[in-house]
């Protein structure tokens, strides 16, 4: 048995998202069913529906920043009850058997096929996964997150991707008191990174193409703000940072950015540019610097992030939209015309 619900889907790489219906499985012994209240729009959604990261499996119902309220739980579920505020991020299952899954690093699952994406993937039962641009979802309890009551559901949604994408590298590379952290780009990811790094106690600098968002950056808590289109920035800040987190999917001048690091500093790539990065070796070896990457976070760390955000009152800046506006929202995301995350009110689907 299945349940038919409403959703917005893309049927090809060039067609707009349109209203449709999809099937959700019945609640199994270990499943949690919940009504989706809000779904964030991530740039990954756009890349996927446009088949920019490889051919998509249409129809695609995007959305992996999902927040809602539990409506039913399976007979074996112990973690959640009806009425709980919960969320789902970028994956809904993993192999559960590899070393990374056992370590709570499900985002790096090495089992066959890796983790199972919240959308545009195939579930354990062989059926397609459909994401959060819909009215309800059913997920195994081990891949559901508890949203603290103090975080409004509309603001909680983007934390399930944007939040954990920044929290994980900040924690892994020990952002905190006495550390100088630079965030490259003040967009959907970067603005959350600024708030998190400040809450962790680091001295935070925004590196943005221009100074047009400087007032925002300082309001969000950044201590410094520099324009990367000014060559003087790279002379002034040479050797300054313990950690640089790049949130933009552009082919930066890697040598220039690596030279902003102190000895033993790390530059972490979060953005995924279409063309390979060109990395000069001397800025790396000269100061024992590190170039690294990071991908979202595992279930335990994502829960830790949500609890941290509740404790420190860290929430994203959002613009709530009706579902019928989703195609216009996509165009605005592509044009960097959003401050700073669109969130769909799924009651409007």
């Amino acid at each position: 048995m299945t349940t038919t619900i409403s959703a917005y889907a893309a049927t090809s790489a060039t067609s707009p998202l349109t209203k449709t219906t999809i099937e959700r499985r019945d609640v199994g012994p270990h499943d949690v069913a919940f009504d989706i209240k809000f779904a964030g729009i991530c740039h990954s959604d756009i890349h996927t529906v446009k088949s920019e990261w490889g051919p998509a499996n249409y129809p695609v119902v995007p959305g992996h920043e999902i927040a809602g309220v539990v409506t039913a739980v399976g007979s074996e579920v112990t973690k959640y009850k009806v009425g709980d505020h919960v969320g789902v991020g970028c994956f809904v299952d993993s192999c559960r058997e590899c070393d990374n899954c056992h370590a709570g690093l499900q985002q790096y699952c090495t089992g066959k096929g890796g983790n199972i994406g919240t959308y545009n993937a195939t579930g354990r039962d062989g059926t397609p996964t459909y994401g959060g641009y819909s009215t309800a979802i059913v997920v195994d309890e081990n891949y559901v997150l508890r949203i603290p009551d103090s975080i409004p559901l509309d603001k909680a949604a983007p934390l399930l991707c944007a939040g954990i994408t920044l929290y994980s590298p900040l924690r892994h590379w020990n952002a905190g008191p006495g550390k100088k952290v630079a965030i490259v780009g003040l967009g959907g990811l970067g603005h959350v990174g600024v708030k998190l790094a400040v809450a962790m106690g680091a001295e935070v600098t925004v590196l943005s193409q221009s100074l047009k968002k400087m007032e925002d950056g300082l309001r969000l808590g950044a201590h410094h703000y520099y324009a990367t289109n000014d060559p003087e920035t790279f002379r002034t800040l040479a050797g300054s940072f313990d950690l640089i987190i790049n949130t933009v999917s552009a082919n930066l001048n890697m040598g220039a950015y690596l030279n902003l690091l102190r000895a033993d500093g790390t530059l972490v790539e979060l953005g995924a540019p279409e063309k390979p990065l060109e990395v000069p070796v001397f800025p790396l070896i000269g100061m024992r610097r590190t170039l690294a990457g990071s991908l979202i976070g595992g279930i335990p760390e994502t829960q830790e992030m949500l609890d941290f955000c509740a404790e420190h009152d860290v929430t994203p800046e959002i613009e709530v939209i009706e579902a019928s506006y989703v195609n216009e929202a996509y165009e605005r995301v592509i044009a960097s015309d959003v401050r700073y995350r669109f969130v769909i009110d799924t009651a409007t689907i």
Side-chain angles (χ1 to χ4, degrees):
M1 293 288 290
T2 57
T3 302
T4 302
I5 63 162
S6 297
Y8 266 72
T11 55
S12 78
T14 54
S15 63
L17 279 79
T18 53
K19 188 173 178 180
T20 186
T21 58
I22 58 173
E23 301 297 314
R24 294 295 193 196
R25 70 174 184 263
D26 278 354
V27 177
H30 295 280
D31 284 337
V32 173
F34 65 94
D35 283 344
I36 298 172
K37 299 300 183 183
F38 296 96
I41 293 178
C42 176
H43 210 134
S44 303
D45 300 343
I46 301 172
H47 288 305
T48 302
V49 302
K50 292 182 178 294
S51 284
E52 292 171 350
W53 286 349
N57 300 309
Y58 299 103
V60 174
V61 176
H64 57 209
E65 298 181 336
I66 306 171
V69 180
V70 176
T71 54
V73 298
S75 58
E76 302 294 319
V77 170
T78 58
K79 299 179 181 179
Y80 302 101
K81 65 182 187 306
V82 172
D84 285 350
H85 287 189
V86 295
V88 167
C90 298
F91 53 89
V92 291
D93 213 332
S94 63
C95 82
R96 313 183 188 195
E97 296 172 356
C98 70
D99 289 346
N100 289 341
C101 282
H102 282 302
L105 299 171
Q106 297 91 345
Q107 76 273 34
Y108 303 128
C109 174
T110 57
K112 184 179 179 182
N115 63 55
I116 296 173
T118 302
Y119 63 86
N120 195 45
T122 302
R124 283 177 175 249
D125 60 1
T127 62
T129 60
Y130 297 120
Y133 298 11
S134 58
T135 55
I137 195 168
V138 180
V139 179
D140 184 283
E141 69 171 325
N142 293 302
Y143 297 83
V144 175
L145 288 307
R146 181 179 301 280
I147 296 174
D149 289 339
S150 62
I151 304 179
L153 288 177
D154 55 352
K155 293 191 173 186
L159 294 176
L160 277 306
C161 175
I164 187 57
T165 296
L166 273 296
Y167 183 88
S168 186
L170 286 167
R171 270 286 182 250
H172 185 78
W173 280 280
N174 302 310
K179 294 294 182 74
K180 292 188 175 183
V181 174
I183 305 291
V184 181
L186 192 70
L189 294 178
H191 91 283
V192 178
V194 169
K195 289 189 173 190
L196 286 168
V198 169
M200 291 175 183
E203 182 179 330
V204 180
T205 298
V206 174
L207 300 175
S208 185
Q209 268 191 309
S210 71
L211 297 179
K212 69 178 183 179
K213 293 182 181 177
M214 183 172 180
E215 189 177 324
D216 271 9
L218 298 178
R219 175 178 61 81
L220 296 172
H223 303 95
H224 315 284
Y225 200 107
Y226 288 86
T228 56
N229 62 9
D230 180 357
E232 191 61 35
T233 290
F234 291 91
R235 289 189 283 271
T236 301
L237 298 178
S240 291
F241 301 108
D242 299 287
L243 177 64
I244 300 173
I245 296 185
N246 177 28
T247 70
V248 301
S249 294
N251 288 80
L252 303 180
N253 180 338
M254 298 305 291
Y257 282 85
L258 287 167
N259 280 326
L260 299 179
L261 291 169
R262 294 174 168 175
D264 289 324
T266 301
L267 169 58
V268 181
E269 281 288 324
L270 301 182
E274 291 182 30
K275 297 177 181 176
L277 295 174
E278 292 187 13
V279 183
V281 72
F282 288 106
L284 277 176
I285 63 177
M287 286 286 174
R288 199 167 61 187
R289 296 169 174 132
T290 301
L291 175 62
S294 182
L295 177 72
I296 50 174
I299 296 298
E301 191 173 49
T302 305
Q303 188 63 60
E304 179 186 302
M305 176 273 304
L306 288 167
D307 295 339
F308 178 91
C309 288
E311 182 181 348
H312 295 273
D313 194 25
V314 173
T315 56
E317 311 278 305
I318 63 170
E319 182 177 334
V320 177
I321 62 169
E322 294 189 0
S324 59
Y325 189 73
V326 65
N327 293 296
E328 289 87 346
Y330 272 27
E331 294 304 316
R332 286 180 56 189
V333 171
I334 293 168
S336 298
D337 178 27
V338 53
R339 301 263 177 110
Y340 281 89
R341 203 66 155 183
F342 284 119
V343 175
I344 300 167
D345 177 355
T346 59
T348 63
I349 292 179

